[in-house]
Amino acid sequence: MGFKVAIVGATGNVGREMLNILEERGFPIDEVVALASRRSLGTEVSFGDRTLKVKVLDTYDFSDTDLCIMSAGGNVSKEWSPKIGKQGCVVIDNSSAFRYDQDVPLIVPEVNPDAISLFTRKNIIANPNCSTAQLVVALKPLHDHARIKRVVVATYQSVSGAGKEGMDELFTQTRAVFVADPVEAKKFTKRIAFNVIPHIDVFMDDGFTKEEWKMVAETKKMLDPKIKLTATCVRVPVFIGHSEAVNIEFENPITADEAREILRDAPGCLVVDKREDGGYATPIDTAGEDATYISRIREDSTIDNGLSMWIVSDNLRKGAALNAVQIAELLVERGLITPKKKAA
Ligand SMILES: NC(=O)c1ccc[n+]([C@@H]2O[C@H](COP(=O)([O-])OP(=O)(O)OC[C@H]3O[C@@H](n4cnc5c(N)ncnc54)[C@H](OP(=O)(O)O)[C@@H]3O)[C@@H](O)[C@H]2O)c1
């Protein structure tokens, strides 16, 4: 017997990918319900070869639903996740609303699967920020080997990280440039077409942005509170796939060859690292793929035990939908969730 699963935000970038991945990976589902705002009432979304009519979140009763995957932003999650959890439905939340709550586990299954047992406190599990998810998948096996002291990361984040409005803005502005129409910036703070913007999420008092702060806080929560991390997060005119230039300082010696071998064997990682033209991964190579790609691994002789590398992944998959589905699979594998219908 399978589960009854609700997807909140089913019409969005992440929600649609979530439906694809649940189907692709054969998650044990008896019934899947697509939910969104009133704007989407009657809209249809695909689940494998089936078509689902979208229902409205506000009027949906979760009492016989086993699992709810939330992908509708922080405000919707803050209002709804606790109510849904109280109805005995386990929530996997893609927003940042509960990521830093001590009673909510923040999980990347390749990194900290054992922390999941904490979910019973609120019936909520948080999915990390897209840029953190791919980073910690690559950092974890290296940390286990040589203990990471400090990470310096610059991100090159695609517009799909800002939802479907972000993708529409890049498309519309690019077309406007070619036909010499006026270029309007609505979703992003400056023009994104043929430009890069060193600003994602709001500014904090110390001059960092919230996106940069999230990478610090989430790496500490999932991997090791002792790791020091500093980030510069940048939006680039790429539709799908976040890239990261990463410099890592370790406590113990580690060579580029050792790192390459470790990452080749690590779950979720794919090393593409030939020192020749095109011998590295770019965002287009990773779109629609599950792995976190690691390229350009090299020793940094300016610090003791230093490595630099390039990490790329599909932000809608490992950065959001795939990781959420892997969390759902972990709940099932560990027997932490059973279908309500069976229990009744
Ligand atoms: N994109 C990424 O790389 C990424 C990565 C990690 C986490 N996330 C998180 O995932 C969530 C969704 O991101 P996205 O990229 O899929 O955004 P999106 O494309 O803009 O989609 C947003 C979804 O939320 C729904 N929604 C908005 N307000 C709602 C309400 N009041 N009640 C019910 N549904 C509502 C929308 O439904 P309508 O169509 O009816 O408006 C739509 O389905 C966000 O929390 C985001 O931070 C995204």
Side-chain angles (χ1 to χ4, degrees):
M1 179 167 296
F3 295 88
K4 182 168 179 183
V5 180
I7 307 292
V8 178
T11 53
N13 273 343
V14 175
R16 285 175 193 269
E17 202 62 51
M18 201 85 75
L19 289 163
N20 291 338
I21 294 175
L22 282 168
E23 209 272 334
E24 264 170 42
R25 293 173 72 96
F27 187 79
I29 284 184
D30 256 8
E31 190 180 342
V32 62
V33 184
L35 299 169
S37 76
R38 286 187 185 278
R39 291 180 290 273
S40 298
L41 183 63
T43 311
E44 293 180 339
V45 291
S46 304
F47 177 62
D49 50 15
R50 277 190 277 160
T51 302
L52 308 175
K53 274 224 162 15
V54 175
K55 297 181 179 171
V56 177
L57 168 66
D58 295 0
T59 51
Y60 183 73
D61 175 5
F62 284 86
S63 54
D64 68 346
T65 302
D66 301 299
L67 193 63
C68 169
I69 312 188
M70 274 279 195
S71 256
N75 291 336
V76 176
S77 179
K78 268 185 208 141
E79 181 186 348
W80 282 92
S81 296
K83 290 193 225 168
I84 299 168
K86 282 201 179 112
Q87 288 193 58
C89 173
V90 180
V91 178
I92 300 173
D93 180 34
N94 267 292
S95 81
S96 60
F98 295 95
R99 285 181 196 151
Y100 319 108
D101 184 327
Q102 291 200 338
D103 292 331
V104 173
L106 175 67
I107 301 291
V108 169
E110 294 89 340
V111 174
N112 62 338
D114 295 340
I116 201 167
S117 49
L118 196 74
F119 86 94
T120 48
R121 293 195 187 162
K122 288 194 174 167
N123 255 358
I124 302 173
I125 303 166
N127 211 32
N129 190 41
C130 38
S131 44
T132 318
Q134 66 183 62
L135 179 69
V136 292
V137 166
L139 292 186
K140 160 80 175 159
L142 300 174
H143 185 53
D144 288 347
H145 183 84
R147 310 308 295 169
I148 295 171
K149 274 166 73 176
R150 179 169 184 255
V151 180
V152 182
V153 54
T155 68
Y156 304 69
Q157 296 181 225
S158 68
V159 293
S160 57
K164 49 188 193 286
E165 286 175 8
M167 296 181 88
D168 290 347
E169 186 145 315
L170 175 57
F171 181 83
T172 310
Q173 288 185 354
T174 306
R175 189 174 51 190
V177 170
F178 277 114
V179 299
D181 272 353
V183 175
E184 217 187 331
K186 284 195 226 149
K187 178 75 182 170
F188 299 113
T189 49
K190 293 206 177 200
R191 176 175 131 180
I192 187 64
F194 308 99
N195 201 9
V196 297
I197 306 174
H199 172 194
I200 301 180
D201 210 332
V202 295
F203 276 96
M204 320 242 328
D205 289 345
D206 61 3
F208 282 86
T209 62
K210 184 87 184 283
E211 185 81 354
E212 292 158 354
W213 177 86
K214 286 178 206 165
M215 292 192 78
V216 177
E218 295 175 21
T219 302
K220 284 180 183 291
K221 181 165 176 177
M222 287 187 288
L223 194 51
D224 190 335
K226 291 205 282 294
I227 293 176
K228 292 181 184 167
L229 187 145
T230 184
T232 304
C233 292
V234 181
R235 189 73 72 194
V236 295
V238 166
F239 281 106
I240 292 176
H242 288 358
S243 309
E244 300 175 338
V246 186
N247 180 264
I248 313 166
E249 185 181 350
F250 295 88
E251 273 175 31
N252 304 313
I254 178 168
T255 65
D257 283 342
E258 283 168 342
R260 222 172 274 118
E261 281 314 304
I262 290 165
L263 291 168
R264 274 205 181 99
D265 289 340
C269 295
L270 190 71
V271 175
V272 177
D273 194 17
K274 290 197 181 135
R275 292 177 175 177
E276 61 186 37
D277 293 355
Y280 39 78
T282 61
I284 279 176
D285 305 319
T286 70
E289 300 291 324
D290 287 350
T292 293
Y293 286 68
I294 303 133
S295 305
R296 304 285 327 277
I297 303 168
R298 59 213 191 271
E299 283 146 37
D300 173 10
S301 62
T302 66
I303 47 169
D304 288 338
N305 309 324
L307 288 180
S308 291
M309 61 191 66
W310 175 249
I311 301 174
V312 195
S313 196
D314 180 332
N315 53 294
L316 299 178
R317 290 179 80 93
K318 187 59 197 170
L322 172 65
N323 198 67
V325 174
Q326 287 176 304
I327 292 173
E329 290 170 348
L330 188 62
L331 284 169
V332 177
E333 272 161 36
R334 298 201 170 186
L336 297 169
I337 180 172
T338 38
K340 284 180 181 164
K341 260 193 194 160
K342 193 177 165 191

